[in-house]
Amino acid sequence: MSPLNNTKIEVLRFLLIGIPGLEKSHLWISIPFSSVYLLSFLGNFAILFCIKTERSLHEPMYYFLSMLSISDLGLSLSSLPTTLGLFLFDVHEINASACFAQEFFIHLFTVTEASVLSVMAFDRYVAIHNPLRYSTILTGSRVIKTGVFLSSKNILLILPLPFLLQRLRYCHRNLLSHSYCLHQDVMKLACSDNRVNVIYGLCAALSTMLDLVFITFSYVMILKTVLGIATPREQFKALNTCISHICAVLIFYVPMLSAAMLHRFGRNVSPMIHILMADIFLLVPPLMNPIVYCVKTRQIREKVVEKFCPKRS
């Protein structure tokens, strides 16, 4: 592994580490990774196809679910080229510009998924608190405007990150800690002052934490509304509509917060743990969200079975 020289940023190369100590087994490791990517694509495309083709699913809840699937697809596609290139073809090098572009898309779809989950929490609150006015509060035009606003906000938030990385100078170290590029991973390699990157990266991370605060507040209000419902059966029915979303929130935030805590406080933890947790954060949500919604949401489950298993339906 040759060190980087003090050359212009356009000619820099970074080296991806993969899984240290298991370099000879990378080809075998590519099998579960490829399977996860394939299942993620099939699951999210199936949900998008069903929502697109079934008029009965043209409702705000399913529009938000389609946004979640698009975010999951984007997250998978962002990490796929370098991850499978590394494990399948033993390609360790990545051009600096490609690396900066990849970290932009990974962080963009990460904050987008957090934003979509927060809006879905508000959707569940409206559906439970005011079901008779649900269709008038969350109209199709408002859902579209919400999607455009979230996309614009997140693009403007994440867009400075690759430019902040490009302004840094990289002298000798070029070995990244994962099979893909992350902002916090790349900026640690700089030999120039990266305080602006640190501060702005924390601000970007804070946006996902604010989404988590909003989700928590929404569920406090949902619980308050549910406790005011007369019968336990109706209370259970109302809460049951939130199970899929709660699972999606846990699937997204638990790996992300675990990876962040390891990055901040786990200096004595094995690098293998850091790498596996980072891979889980990028791979598990896009895989599990379609499964959770197909299992727990009857309308989605029935339409998926009807579309892809007609004999069984």
Side-chain angles (χ1 to χ4, degrees):
M1 295 182 183
S2 59
L4 294 178
N5 298 317
N6 290 325
T7 54
K8 293 183 179 180
I9 194 69
E10 287 78 12
V11 299
L12 288 180
R13 297 287 188 276
F14 293 109
L15 295 177
L16 303 167
I17 193 171
I19 300 180
L22 298 177
E23 289 82 0
K24 294 182 180 179
S25 303
H26 275 181
L27 185 61
W28 293 105
I29 295 172
S30 69
I31 296 175
F33 274 83
S34 301
S35 302
V36 169
Y37 279 118
L38 179 61
L39 292 174
S40 300
F41 292 143
L42 291 177
N44 286 292
F45 275 122
I47 286 180
L48 289 172
F49 178 75
C50 289
I51 294 174
K52 172 68 176 176
T53 56
E54 286 295 329
R55 293 189 62 85
S56 61
L57 300 181
H58 291 182
E59 297 179 7
M61 172 186 172
Y62 301 109
Y63 289 146
F64 291 132
L65 177 56
S66 66
M67 293 180 194
L68 186 66
S69 291
I70 291 172
S71 300
D72 285 335
L73 285 171
L75 202 56
S76 294
L77 287 171
S78 299
S79 62
L80 182 144
T82 54
T83 300
L84 291 190
L86 175 63
F87 291 129
L88 272 175
F89 306 108
D90 201 32
V91 178
H92 289 265
E93 286 193 352
I94 180 172
N95 182 274
S97 298
C99 183
F100 300 157
Q102 183 182 51
E103 65 87 23
F104 166 76
F105 285 109
I106 288 177
H107 290 294
L108 173 63
F109 287 112
T110 298
V111 298
T112 299
E113 183 145 346
S115 298
V116 172
L117 289 172
S118 67
V119 175
M120 292 176 78
F122 177 73
D123 169 79
R124 290 299 84 209
Y125 169 69
V126 174
I128 293 173
H129 180 71
N130 211 333
L132 297 180
R133 294 187 57 205
Y134 176 76
S135 59
T136 58
I137 296 174
L138 289 172
T139 61
S141 62
R142 285 178 179 169
V143 171
I144 293 173
K145 290 177 182 178
T146 300
V148 172
F149 171 76
L150 292 178
S151 300
S152 303
K153 184 263 291 184
N154 291 328
I155 290 173
L156 291 175
L157 176 67
I158 301 301
L159 188 59
L161 290 181
F163 295 103
L164 290 174
L165 289 176
Q166 193 170 9
R167 60 180 279 276
L168 297 176
R169 191 159 53 92
Y170 304 92
C171 303
H172 303 292
R173 295 184 300 165
N174 64 338
L175 184 62
L176 298 173
S177 302
H178 306 293
S179 57
Y180 48 82
C181 296
L182 291 176
H183 178 262
Q184 60 269 29
D185 197 19
V186 177
M187 72 178 183
K188 290 192 302 183
L189 302 180
C191 56
S192 56
D193 187 4
N194 64 359
R195 282 178 292 182
V196 175
N197 296 70
V198 173
I199 294 171
Y200 195 84
L202 289 174
C203 292
L206 182 62
S207 70
T208 61
M209 293 299 101
L210 290 176
D211 287 323
L212 180 59
V213 171
F214 182 80
I215 292 170
T216 304
F217 175 76
S218 297
Y219 272 100
V220 170
M221 299 304 294
I222 287 172
L223 187 59
K224 182 179 177 181
T225 301
V226 168
L227 292 176
I229 297 176
T231 65
R233 183 177 181 180
E234 291 178 345
Q235 290 178 346
F236 176 78
K237 184 178 179 181
L239 285 175
N240 194 48
T241 64
C242 302
I243 295 298
S244 299
H245 180 257
I246 293 172
C247 291
V249 170
L250 293 175
I251 288 168
F252 176 75
Y253 274 101
V254 169
M256 185 184 74
L257 293 176
S258 300
M261 294 297 287
L262 279 175
H263 179 76
R264 179 66 181 85
F265 301 108
R267 294 182 180 178
N268 297 324
V269 178
S270 168
M272 178 78 73
I273 303 298
H274 286 268
I275 293 169
L276 290 177
M277 187 56 65
D279 287 333
I280 288 172
F281 165 59
L282 280 192
L283 295 175
V284 170
L287 172 67
M288 293 303 299
N289 285 338
I291 296 174
V292 167
Y293 274 95
C294 285
V295 170
K296 293 299 298 179
T297 307
R298 180 179 56 82
Q299 293 89 338
I300 293 288
R301 183 174 65 251
E302 289 178 352
K303 296 305 177 183
V304 168
V305 173
E306 180 182 324
K307 292 288 184 182
F308 300 100
C309 304
K311 291 184 179 180
R312 183 175 177 181
S313 64

